[in-house]
Amino acid sequence: MNELTEIGEFGLIDLIKQDTIHDHGTVVVGIGDDAAVLLPTPRQLQLLTTDMLVESIHFDLTMTTPWQLGYKAIAVNLSDIAAMGGTPRHAVISVALPATTPTEFIINLYQGMKEICREHSVNIVGGDTVSSPQGLVINVTVAGEVEPANLVKRSGAKTGDIIAVTGVLGNSAAGLDLLSVGEWEEYDFAWPLVTAHLTPRPQVKAGTILAAAGATSMDDLSDGLASESHEIAEASNVGIRLYAAQIPLSAELKQAAEKLDKQALDYALYGGEDFQLLFTMEPSNYEMLLADHPDLQLVRIGEIVETSQGVTLVDEEGGVQILEAKGYNHFR
Ligand SMILES: Nc1ncnc2c1ncn2[C@@H]1O[C@H](COP(=O)(O)OP(=O)(O)O)[C@@H](O)[C@H]1O
Ligand SMILES: Cc1ncc(C[n+]2csc(CCOP(=O)(O)OP(=O)(O)O)c2C)c(N)n1
Ligand SMILES: [Mg+2]
Ligand SMILES: [Mg+2]
Ligand SMILES: [Mg+2]
């Protein structure tokens, strides 16, 4: 059992099918028919999101194990459900595989996917498997649910709201740079950064707590703080003022930045793939949230201002500069 040519498409699907359903009550039909059949929770809004990972664009097989890649492919999608205040329920997974892919690779890829699905009780209810003439492509679609009152869009930020994040930023991008340079095992600061990049933890629990606490807008940080701040500013028709000194940077990121001759703050602003949540909230609600949830690593990084002020960054000396919307952008 070495290459896919030996077991074929259907043999592969049989291998994938095991351990995919956690919530039998909501899956009427899972893998094995023409479509999955799902039972939605009454009076909940249905969320549907999809993100694709393409070899050489989103991952490099010399830097990641298949298990880590599978974990991340699901994680980035759960992150988008989290950013709406929702709970992920079901996933469909499509893979385009070069025919020379070892069967072992696919098994490990799915083990990574199944691990994170187990952590979040997400059912894998279907997918598609095709051959690829060149490079591996993984597309995941996740369905989730949210109470109508807890839905958080990008568009609800109001002047006077605080803007905050759920954890440190920049680790993932620095991790990618360390992986690209190689020999990162030599540095004791590298591990949390490389881990943040290869197996990001989607902030699903935090997302539901923030939603219930009255977040007025929310977005997940896939493209970097600068870019996602602009997304919220535009969708909400507001301005945003961020304070460089308040942006949470890990000690490991600072060490890595020094080693790589880069600015730690630049990783946080423009790096992307941190998959923390960026959200806005009325200050009084935020104070209550902090008191009720010391378990969350929330950090206030700025405030919502008038639209005319645009999106700005206050530097450590108090100087105000326009924050460009640069970050990860396909095709640019
Ligand atoms: N090819 C596409 N066809 C239809 N909608 C798309 C396509 N690509 C992106 N979108 C939509 O555009 C919006 C922004 O996409 P994206 O930047 O990928 O969001 P996110 O950063 O949350 O993953 C989303 O509503 C997404 O569903
Ligand atoms: C080999 C490799 N090169 C570069 C990157 C960096 N990178 C690729 S895509 C991306 C942004 C996030 O991906 P995208 O498809 O834009 O996700 P979305 O915003 O739709 O969630 C970043 C930072 C990477 N992860 N791996
Ligand atoms: Mg997307
Ligand atoms: Mg996304
Ligand atoms: Mg993007």
Side-chain angles (χ1 to χ4, degrees):
M1 199 172 73
N2 279 325
E3 290 192 359
L4 288 175
T5 43
E6 287 171 37
I7 59 167
E9 177 188 341
F10 298 110
L12 178 62
I13 294 169
D14 273 342
L15 287 175
I16 289 169
K17 220 158 58 181
Q18 316 301 323
D19 306 317
T20 49
I21 309 299
H22 304 287
D23 181 5
H24 290 271
T26 63
V27 182
V28 181
V29 178
I31 293 177
D33 215 312
D34 297 304
V37 182
L38 310 169
L39 192 66
T41 309
R43 285 176 293 283
Q44 297 232 331
L45 294 173
Q46 302 293 308
L47 304 170
L48 198 56
T49 189
T50 193
D51 265 336
M52 175 156 52
L53 299 190
V54 175
E55 186 173 350
S56 302
I57 301 293
H58 295 91
F59 60 89
D60 182 324
L61 290 175
T62 65
M63 299 178 194
T64 180
T65 66
W67 192 98
Q68 292 165 328
L69 179 58
Y71 192 98
K72 183 168 179 174
I74 301 285
V76 304
N77 280 275
L78 302 192
S79 181
D80 275 316
I81 296 290
M84 304 302 288
T87 304
R89 299 285 187 214
H90 312 286
V92 291
I93 299 161
S94 298
V95 286
L97 306 164
T100 52
T101 309
T103 305
E104 192 71 14
F105 181 99
I106 313 301
I107 303 291
N108 291 330
L109 179 80
Y110 271 82
Q111 268 167 1
M113 291 179 174
K114 286 175 185 179
E115 170 56 27
I116 183 169
C117 284
R118 201 174 5 255
E119 288 169 8
H120 294 271
S121 277
V122 168
N123 308 300
I124 298 172
V125 296
D128 196 24
T129 308
V130 300
S131 57
S132 162
Q134 210 171 54
L136 172 63
V137 179
I138 306 170
N139 186 71
V140 175
T141 299
V142 170
E145 294 184 327
V146 63
E147 294 272 350
N150 286 355
L151 176 69
V152 188
K153 300 190 282 187
R154 292 177 178 175
S155 56
K158 296 278 179 296
T159 306
D161 283 355
I162 61 90
I163 184 162
V165 290
T166 51
V168 293
L169 306 183
N171 278 7
S172 173
L176 173 60
D177 272 1
L178 289 172
L179 284 162
S180 308
V181 170
E183 292 171 4
W184 57 270
E185 289 98 337
E186 288 172 22
Y187 309 126
D188 52 7
F189 54 78
W191 182 247
L193 310 178
V194 165
T195 303
H197 182 72
L198 295 177
T199 50
R201 304 288 159 151
Q203 300 296 303
V204 176
K205 175 98 187 297
T208 58
I209 293 170
L210 299 175
T216 51
S217 72
M218 192 147 64
D219 196 359
D220 70 317
L221 290 164
S222 60
D223 296 327
L225 178 61
S227 173
E228 309 289 358
S229 296
H230 275 271
E231 296 285 345
I232 286 186
E234 217 167 279
S236 298
N237 193 24
V238 294
I240 297 179
R241 189 189 295 135
L242 299 178
Y243 296 88
Q246 292 174 18
I247 295 170
L249 309 173
S250 68
E252 290 87 356
L253 171 63
K254 290 175 188 170
Q255 286 173 281
E258 202 173 310
K259 190 108 237 159
L260 295 161
D261 204 16
K262 297 266 182 69
Q263 298 296 317
L265 185 64
D266 285 349
Y267 280 117
L269 290 171
Y270 312 117
E273 294 188 289
D274 284 309
F275 299 106
Q276 297 292 341
L277 297 173
L278 173 69
F279 66 96
T280 59
M281 194 175 275
E282 275 179 29
S284 58
N285 285 338
Y286 186 65
E287 290 309 317
M288 271 193 281
L289 171 65
L290 287 181
D292 292 346
H293 282 282
D295 52 310
L296 297 180
Q297 262 117 61
L298 303 177
V299 183
R300 176 190 167 141
I301 58 171
E303 61 247 356
I304 302 303
V305 295
E306 299 287 343
T307 318
S308 58
Q309 296 198 38
V311 180
T312 55
L313 181 72
V314 181
D315 65 27
E316 313 255 346
E317 286 81 45
V320 183
Q321 45 190 290
I322 302 269
L323 183 62
E324 274 183 73
K326 71 178 189 194
Y328 197 88
N329 189 319
H330 296 277
F331 311 113
R332 269 199 194 155

